[in-house]
Amino acid sequence: MQKNNLPKKKIAESIVRFSGMDIKQKDVEFLLDLFFDEIKNGLERGQTIELRGFGTFELKQRKEKSSARNPKTGKIVSVKSHKVAIFRPGQDMKKRVWSL
């Protein structure tokens, strides 16, 4: 299966191209970095980040497992209880990708 990635640099290029404004790509990349950092900072503070029309980022508590398997080595390991960041798409996002 071929990967079809959209890196941050390409997102910034697209924003510059379609904005119709005289902005530099480096400035857009800087703003994207600030945006992503704010999402990370909010999650670190235990906040839920809600982006209407897009989706929600939040933390979820994973239970401890005494017999998980390392997929690389196949070795049985124990995993402590921990939090993970999850993304739940919003209604607009669900509608747009539903028929893909």
Side-chain angles (χ1 to χ4, degrees), residues 36 39-44 46-49 56-62 82-88:
F36 294 135
I39 289 173
K40 292 179 220 175
N41 293 337
L43 289 172
E44 282 182 332
Q47 296 173 311
T48 297
I49 293 84
T56 304
F57 294 91
E58 61 188 340
L59 294 178
K60 184 176 182 178
Q61 185 73 36
R62 292 285 168 107
H82 62 283
K83 292 184 180 180
V84 293
I86 63 165
F87 173 75
R88 289 184 297 117

Side-chain angles (χ1 to χ4, degrees), residues 14-94:
S14 181
I15 291 171
V16 168
R17 186 174 46 246
F18 292 113
S19 71
M21 298 170 24
D22 185 26
I23 52 178
K24 296 178 182 173
Q25 183 173 332
K26 285 187 177 185
D27 293 336
V28 174
E29 289 178 20
F30 177 73
L31 290 173
L32 286 171
D33 285 337
L34 289 176
F35 176 74
F36 294 135
D37 285 343
E38 192 57 30
I39 289 173
K40 292 179 220 175
N41 293 337
L43 289 172
E44 282 182 332
R45 292 188 298 266
Q47 296 173 311
T48 297
I49 293 84
E50 182 179 325
L51 305 172
R52 302 248 173 179
F54 184 73
T56 304
F57 294 91
E58 61 188 340
L59 294 178
K60 184 176 182 178
Q61 185 73 36
R62 292 285 168 107
K63 295 179 182 178
E64 182 176 335
K65 290 186 177 183
S66 59
S67 60
R69 186 177 301 274
N70 181 333
K72 227 177 198 181
T73 63
K75 183 179 175 184
I76 301 293
V77 295
S78 64
V79 179
K80 294 180 180 180
S81 177
H82 62 283
K83 292 184 180 180
V84 293
I86 63 165
F87 173 75
R88 289 184 297 117
Q91 288 298 317
D92 291 348
M93 173 79 74
K94 287 179 185 178

